[in-house]
Amino acid sequence: MTKTILITGAGSGFGEAAAIGMAQAGHNIIATAQISPQVAALREKVAKLGLDNLRVEKLDLTDPYDMAFIAKLDIDILWNNAGYGESGPVSEIPLDLVRKNYEINVFKPLELTQAFIKRWVATSGKGKKIVFTSSMGGLFTPAGWGTYVSTKHALEAIAEAIAQEVAPFGIKVQTINPGAYYTGYNETMADTAFRWLDGDKNFTNPADLRATFDALLASPMGHMDAQEQIDRMIAIVPADTGKVRNVSPKAVEDMLKEAQAAAWDAEI
């Protein structure tokens, strides 16, 4: 069945690729991008592909006029995909960066979600769905990435709570939890800590942290081929059935289950 799907953060990466893939599969797509150059570039790409069923709009989550305009659109599925990450030690990161990360990754997606839920509940929400792009980091906590993954932990809880609240209205909720696929997202996130981390002021050694990040991102599981995740998103987002939580790849899902089980036996 053809769906109308709104995607935030579709100016690049997973969002852009999945938007094109779902449009090619026949769905009506509203792909949103944060800044005008991304909007223009995606519109040109869509025109060259001849995708009349893919519309591109600007959506800066921090712009109240953008948010109000987007929230009025008629859609079947809201896919909260936009986000970014702050890296570095939680014990030292400036709090304004933590607040900013929560604003974009948690509060703004929740604001948009609430707006659509209110409309859907008022008009029978049966067949509607909300999808959150979470992360493998929403299910465990590696040092150095704590701020970012804590926003994804928050999204996991919000998704789980909303799913229970809106089930009586026929509205479904899913999360997608990518592993460390190579899109440039994790690499640029790693860089963010070195804007403020200072070896003369902080007890965290910048060179040691950089070496830890570089080793992780250079490992086979640190830069996987993104096409696997894109293909899964194209299948998961429009579907009427499926798992609530969708981790990729399977090896990461198994690792997360082991980490969560081990947490019960961890000692101080």
Side-chain angles (χ1 to χ4, degrees):
M1 181 178 176
T2 299
K3 302 291 177 60
T4 299
I5 303 167
L6 171 68
I7 309 170
T8 69
S12 63
F14 289 142
E16 178 188 301
I20 291 171
M22 289 190 290
Q24 290 173 328
H27 297 288
N28 297 313
I29 304 299
I30 304 171
T32 66
Q34 181 186 10
I35 58 175
S36 296
Q38 290 178 319
V39 172
L42 185 52
R43 283 176 176 168
E44 289 182 9
K45 186 177 291 186
V46 168
K48 290 179 181 176
L49 292 170
L51 293 172
D52 296 333
N53 57 337
L54 201 167
R55 165 183 169 187
V56 185
E57 298 290 349
K58 177 179 174 294
L59 174 57
D60 177 345
L61 294 176
T62 65
D63 185 325
Y65 297 97
D66 283 359
M67 290 283 277
F69 171 72
I70 290 297
K72 293 177 182 175
L73 299 177
D74 290 323
I75 60 173
D76 300 308
I77 298 170
L78 168 63
W79 179 11
N80 290 295
N81 177 66
Y84 87 106
E86 294 286 351
S87 68
V90 174
S91 47
E92 298 198 89
I93 188 171
L95 288 182
D96 62 325
L97 296 179
V98 179
R99 290 192 180 95
K100 181 183 176 185
N101 213 164
Y102 271 80
E103 186 68 16
I104 300 302
N105 288 13
V106 180
F107 297 130
K108 288 303 179 181
L110 178 57
E111 180 182 337
L112 196 59
T113 297
Q114 287 180 341
F116 279 105
I117 286 175
K118 185 175 183 179
R119 289 177 53 201
W120 290 346
V121 167
T123 58
S124 178
K126 190 174 182 180
K128 306 295 188 183
K129 189 168 81 169
I130 300 158
V131 182
F132 294 95
T133 298
S134 179
S135 166
M136 64 184 288
L139 302 169
F140 84 132
T141 309
W145 310 88
T147 297
Y148 169 70
V149 301
S150 72
T151 69
K152 297 302 185 179
H153 279 258
L155 266 190
E156 290 286 327
I158 285 171
E160 191 170 336
I162 290 176
Q164 297 169 68
E165 294 162 0
V166 300
F169 303 99
I171 302 171
K172 299 178 180 179
V173 179
Q174 280 181 304
T175 67
I176 297 176
N177 302 64
Y181 291 96
Y182 181 61
T183 64
Y185 185 87
N186 296 318
E187 289 72 15
T188 54
M189 188 195 325
D191 290 341
T192 59
F194 304 99
R195 297 174 297 163
W196 56 267
L197 198 55
D198 185 335
D200 293 328
K201 298 179 181 177
N202 301 107
F203 62 79
T204 300
N205 184 300
D208 290 346
L209 184 63
R210 174 61 86 178
T212 300
F213 286 166
D214 288 348
L216 176 64
L217 295 171
S219 70
M221 295 295 284
H223 61 284
M224 297 178 289
D225 183 354
Q227 191 59 50
E228 176 187 15
Q229 181 63 75
I230 293 164
D231 291 342
R232 287 213 65 197
M233 288 170 160
I234 292 170
I236 291 168
V237 174
D240 291 321
T241 59
K243 295 170 67 176
V244 172
R245 175 180 292 162
N246 298 275
V247 178
S248 297
K250 180 65 165 59
V252 168
E253 180 177 328
D254 293 342
M255 180 274 288
L256 293 173
K257 289 176 179 176
E258 290 179 7
Q260 291 179 328
W264 289 97
D265 297 319
E267 297 184 7
I268 59 173

